[in-house]
């Protein structure tokens, strides 16, 4: 076993339907260090949610293992919190009640006051101070998502898993929540694995972007290292010199290479060590003319 904080080691997932067996992916490898923020991008059906469910312990791989902090994952755990596109908030509980419920599962011995103080801290962190006593039915979609984020963060998980968490929100709310999630994750050095189909969201949030080819039998084509500075800001990110280089690289992958990559694997391609690429606007200094190579 490797010593990385999160390590996906040669996992496979196959489903049988109507007597036919489909391999979603096999021999998939990926690793993250503590505090990394990784996004995975790929077309619908390539297996992103399947990977996330395996990380969450909600599904198990047919081959291979996944380990977090040196321990193989066996089923769901409060070490890993999941934020989905829409939230299963408990409708009969208030905002405070929903977050407190998660906190008291994590810390069953804590007193009511301790649970309450801890829950309030995270409610405040996501900007919901003043709405503690509201019920989910009284909240907008964005506010519900904030409760989901507060609930996930309040258990202080080793890994935060997010499956297209902002895709159901309007653009303004999405932007604000992206800002908050980025701020909180940087402040708390939270390790995050997130699925998105939004290229700009990935560039703003992620340190590394995993490119997955179309399914079935999807492979990780590349790991894209985000070339933008850590102190990037959402509103003027497009003025960063490398922004269009990385954006075009991701879009080019989604439009073209996600489909064709497998038919023309690069020389020396290894599933265990997919190429690491750092798109840049700077002229390519290497003589072989591949501006994408790091
Ligand atoms: N429980 C299941 N039973 C059968 N097939 C499944 C199941 N879950 C996922 N799949 C199939 O696995 C593939 C990957 O699904 P998924 O991980 O949801 O893709 P993505 O999240 O990238 O859109 C799809 O072809 C889907 O139909
Ligand atoms: Mg999905």
């Amino acid at each position: 076993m490797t010593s990385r904080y999160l390590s996906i080691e040669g996992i496979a997932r196959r489903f049988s339907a109507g007597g036919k067996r489909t391999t979603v992916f096999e021999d998939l490898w990926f690793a993250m260090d503590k505090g990394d923020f990784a996004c995975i991008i790929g077309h619908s059906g390539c297996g992103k949610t399947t990977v996330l469910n395996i990380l969450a312990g909600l599904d198990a791989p047919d081959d291979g293992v996944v380990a977090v902090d040196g321990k193989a994952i066996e089923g769901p755990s409060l070490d890993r919190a999941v934020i989905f596109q829409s939230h299963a908030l408990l409708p009969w509980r208030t905002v405070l009640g929903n977050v407190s419920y998660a906190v008291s599962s994590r810390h069953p011995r804590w007193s009511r006051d301790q649970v309450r103080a801890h829950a309030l801290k995270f409610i405040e962190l996501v900007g919901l101070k003043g709405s503690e006593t509201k019920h989910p039915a009284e909240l907008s979609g964005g506010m519900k998502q904030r409760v989901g984020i507060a609930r996930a963060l309040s258990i202080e998980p080793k890994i935060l898993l997010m499956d297209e968490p902002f895709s159901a929100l309007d653009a303004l709310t999405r932007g604000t929540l992206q800002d908050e999630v980025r701020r909180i994750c940087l402040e708390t050095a939270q390790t995050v694995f997130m699925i998105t189909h939004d290229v700009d969201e990935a560039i703003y949030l992620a340190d590394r972007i995993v490119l997955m080819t179309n399914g079935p039998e999807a492979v990780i084509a590349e790991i894209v290292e985000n070339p933008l500075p850590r102190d990037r800001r959402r509103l003027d990110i497009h003025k960063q010199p490398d922004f269009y280089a990385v954006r075009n690289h991701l879009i080019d992958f989604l439009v073209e290479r996600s489909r064709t990559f497998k038919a023309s694997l690069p020389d020396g391609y290894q599933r265990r060590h997919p190429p690491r690429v750092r798109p840049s606007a700077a002229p390519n200094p290497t003589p072989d003319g591949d501006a994408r190579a790091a």
Side-chain angles (χ1 to χ4, degrees):
M1 203 167 275
T2 61
S3 57
R4 304 290 293 273
Y5 193 61
L6 169 123
S7 90
I8 295 177
E9 306 184 359
I11 60 171
R13 188 71 180 101
R14 304 181 185 93
F15 290 112
S16 303
K20 229 185 110 205
R21 208 160 157 75
T22 310
T23 298
V24 182
F25 48 72
E26 60 188 4
D27 202 18
L28 197 80
W29 295 78
F30 181 62
M32 288 174 71
D33 291 322
K34 198 164 194 276
D36 275 353
F37 197 129
C39 272
I40 181 162
I41 282 193
H43 283 289
S44 190
C46 72
K48 305 178 297 294
T49 296
T50 304
V51 174
L52 188 127
N53 284 343
I54 290 171
L55 291 177
L58 300 170
D59 190 8
D62 293 294
D63 290 315
V65 290
V66 178
V68 174
D69 202 9
K71 272 204 332 235
I73 287 177
E74 289 163 7
S77 148
L78 292 170
D79 281 350
R80 284 161 274 123
V82 192
I83 298 176
F84 295 104
Q85 197 183 96
S86 63
H87 276 292
L89 298 180
L90 302 171
W92 61 90
R93 283 180 181 260
T94 62
V95 168
L96 179 59
N98 268 280
V99 179
S100 297
Y101 185 74
V103 174
S104 50
S105 323
R106 176 61 143 180
H107 303 286
R109 287 165 205 274
W110 280 12
S111 71
R112 264 180 81 111
D113 284 350
Q114 269 178 305
V115 169
R116 186 184 155 85
H118 188 83
L120 284 173
K121 189 173 108 187
F122 285 87
I123 289 168
E124 190 167 345
L125 204 60
V126 300
L128 281 181
K129 196 168 183 218
S131 301
E132 298 87 344
T133 58
K134 293 201 167 125
H135 286 81
E138 300 171 84
L139 304 176
S140 68
M143 289 166 92
K144 282 186 211 162
Q145 205 64 348
R146 283 171 196 266
V147 181
I149 294 167
R151 186 176 57 179
L153 292 170
S154 72
I155 63 172
E156 297 173 285
K158 287 184 175 171
I159 296 199
L160 180 62
L161 303 167
M162 297 195 274
D163 194 345
E164 307 197 11
F166 311 126
S167 57
L169 304 173
D170 65 272
L172 202 64
T173 309
R174 187 184 315 144
T176 314
L177 272 186
Q178 286 168 347
D179 291 345
E180 309 237 315
V181 162
R182 177 159 170 81
R183 175 181 58 80
I184 295 167
C185 291
L186 283 174
E187 270 173 28
T188 58
Q190 178 68 54
T191 310
V192 186
F193 183 90
M194 169 171 165
I195 298 172
T196 179
H197 60 256
D198 180 337
V199 163
D200 292 319
E201 179 169 282
I203 299 171
Y204 177 45
L205 294 176
D207 305 311
R208 253 164 293 287
I209 303 157
V210 180
L211 303 184
M212 206 156 165
T213 66
N214 294 358
E217 297 180 45
V219 302
I220 294 177
E222 284 171 2
I223 315 282
V224 175
E225 306 277 354
N226 193 338
L228 302 192
R230 274 214 129 186
D231 63 357
R232 56 190 177 266
R233 289 174 313 189
R234 185 170 53 85
L235 291 175
D236 57 10
I237 196 170
H238 57 287
K239 294 184 184 155
Q240 292 289 343
D242 290 329
F243 176 76
Y244 285 101
V246 64
R247 189 171 197 274
N248 289 342
H249 187 83
L250 300 180
I251 290 179
D252 178 50
F253 178 79
L254 286 175
V255 171
E256 172 79 14
R257 295 172 59 232
S258 54
R259 213 165 19 90
T260 57
F261 183 85
K262 264 195 304 180
S264 53
L265 290 177
D267 280 349
Y269 174 82
Q270 290 176 41
R271 284 166 179 261
R272 191 166 176 168
H273 303 287
R276 286 182 169 263
V277 168
R278 191 183 174 86
S280 164
N284 176 26
T286 58
D288 65 8
D290 184 357
R292 294 195 308 260

